Amino acid sequence: MQSLRPWRINSLANSAKRACPRTAIRYFATETQGPEDGHLRTEMDWIEFQAKRASFKTLTDELSQYGSAQTRSNTWKLRDSLHKPTPHATISALLAAGAHFGHASSRMDPNFAPYAYGTRAGITIIDLDHTLPLLRRAANLVRAVAAADGQVVFIGTRPDLRPVVQKAAERMGEQGYHVGERWLPGTLTNKWQMFGHEVVRKERVIPDLVVLLNPIHNMNAIRECALQHVPTIGIVDSNVDPRLVMYPIPANDESTRTAELIAGVLSIAGREGVAVRTAEEMKRKQEESQLDSDQEASLRRKEQERRLSSFE
């Protein structure tokens, strides 16, 4: 294409905007501008551009193993706290979720004092240095219970907690259950009338572990778990006695993001326990099948030896 004057190029571009698609305009602009502007002008410029881009991609692929592996697809986003939770909690993640905010300092329970960092503007600040190890301890407990073929129930009766407990139970598969509407009094202590004698005899009704995201509103469930000797894990705020549950996690119990983070860590730990149990069962079945095949081979060998001895 012959070189055109700038005023001619502008007039042709304006007319092309009305008559041509955007791709054609882009091609027209690259063809009319020279290489000194950083744009493509001839076929040789396009070939050089492709070669530079290929060499840059090769260099990036070679050096990516020595740098960060974080990309747009695997970077954590705020919307991923419910559907793609992180398996390992950190102080920064708890801080970003607002887990350190407690209630007013005048409402702080005296037994919560070991987990309080201080006060700020009349608000109790929770010490996350205590929250993180207690959360990891609870995750190890959920993993161990799931690996032992135990049933875990997630309870969150606020409207914003219902999808949280539902997702947490779905991650654990058949060993996970959730209560999002309301805990019916007598579910555990009055199980014979609640479920029926036939169901209680054939199925497991009493769970092996209960996780409460808002324990202060589920006192009936906590009492029944205590009577049935069921261990409990609960998010305990500054206005709650930590002795209310067996494994407390001091954090903000009114924050949905905090509940999503804690429930995600616990449910992923439970899924890991289920995977360990499944792997052990498969290994045991393979060992049993191998033992049966070895026994059958030994029996066949003995039978062949017996037949040979009879012919002799």
Side-chain angles (χ1 to χ4, degrees):
M1 179 180 291
Q2 298 179 357
S3 60
L4 301 175
R5 296 181 180 180
W7 62 269
R8 181 61 177 168
I9 295 174
N10 294 333
S11 62
L12 291 175
N14 293 330
S15 61
K17 287 181 181 179
R18 296 188 297 268
C20 302
R22 184 174 297 179
T23 54
I25 296 174
R26 187 179 303 169
Y27 175 78
F28 179 78
T30 55
E31 284 292 322
T32 55
Q33 295 180 356
E36 63 275 1
D37 301 330
H39 297 282
L40 307 178
R41 181 179 179 183
T42 61
E43 184 178 356
M44 186 58 65
D45 295 336
W46 176 254
I47 295 174
E48 292 178 357
F49 171 72
Q50 292 279 42
K52 289 181 181 180
R53 187 166 64 175
S55 62
F56 180 76
K57 185 178 184 303
T58 304
L59 183 64
T60 304
D61 295 340
E62 290 293 332
L63 298 179
S64 61
Q65 57 181 334
Y66 304 106
S68 176
Q70 223 173 20
T71 59
R72 179 176 294 182
S73 59
N74 60 10
T75 303
W76 184 86
K77 303 177 182 60
L78 179 60
R79 63 177 181 271
D80 296 339
S81 59
L82 177 61
H83 301 283
K84 297 179 181 179
T86 175
H88 305 289
T90 58
I91 295 290
S92 59
L94 291 170
L95 193 66
H100 59 290
F101 291 114
H103 287 271
S105 57
S106 59
R107 298 178 56 189
M108 188 182 73
D109 192 278
N111 296 312
F112 192 84
Y115 306 110
Y117 181 81
T119 59
R120 177 72 174 177
I123 302 297
T124 301
I125 304 300
I126 300 173
D127 191 358
L128 297 182
D129 288 334
H130 288 83
T131 303
L132 186 60
L134 292 177
L135 176 58
R136 291 175 177 173
R137 181 184 67 169
N140 293 333
L141 175 64
V142 176
R143 187 182 296 107
V145 170
D149 195 18
Q151 295 179 348
V152 182
V153 178
F154 293 87
I155 301 177
T157 54
R158 287 205 315 262
D160 58 323
L161 298 180
R162 291 168 189 168
V164 179
V165 295
Q166 182 179 359
K167 287 290 182 181
E170 289 177 356
R171 292 188 190 100
M172 292 192 59
E174 297 180 354
Q175 295 180 224
Y177 299 87
H178 70 278
V179 178
E181 296 293 335
R182 175 175 174 267
W183 179 270
L184 296 177
T187 302
L188 302 181
T189 56
N190 198 19
K191 58 184 179 181
W192 298 99
Q193 285 75 18
M194 185 71 67
F195 299 101
H197 294 266
E198 194 70 20
V199 175
V200 174
R201 288 193 182 95
K202 292 183 178 181
E203 300 180 5
R204 292 187 297 176
V205 177
I206 304 298
D208 299 285
L209 181 64
V210 174
V211 180
L212 299 107
L213 302 183
N214 55 339
I216 198 65
H217 300 288
N218 294 279
M219 293 301 299
N220 292 327
I222 295 175
R223 294 190 188 97
E224 294 184 19
C225 290
L227 292 174
Q228 296 294 329
H229 305 287
V230 178
T232 54
I233 299 173
I235 301 177
V236 177
D237 212 328
S238 61
N239 63 332
V240 182
D241 189 353
R243 300 175 298 178
L244 190 66
V245 293
M246 191 174 296
Y247 297 93
I249 301 175
N252 185 6
D253 63 350
E254 294 182 352
S255 173
T256 307
R257 292 174 59 187
T258 302
E260 291 176 355
L261 176 61
I262 294 177
V265 171
L266 297 180
S267 60
I268 291 177
R271 184 173 61 184
E272 293 175 355
V274 173
V276 169
R277 183 182 62 84
T278 305
E280 290 179 353
E281 289 181 354
M282 292 180 62
K283 183 179 179 181
R284 186 172 61 254
K285 290 181 180 179
Q286 291 177 358
E287 292 176 353
E288 291 177 355
S289 62
Q290 184 67 26
L291 182 61
D292 294 340
S293 61
D294 293 342
Q295 290 178 355
E296 291 178 359
S298 62
L299 291 175
R300 286 196 300 267
R301 187 169 56 253
K302 290 180 180 179
E303 183 67 20
Q304 290 177 359
E305 292 176 356
R306 187 183 63 82
R307 290 181 179 179
L308 291 175
S309 63
S310 62
F311 288 142
E312 292 177 356

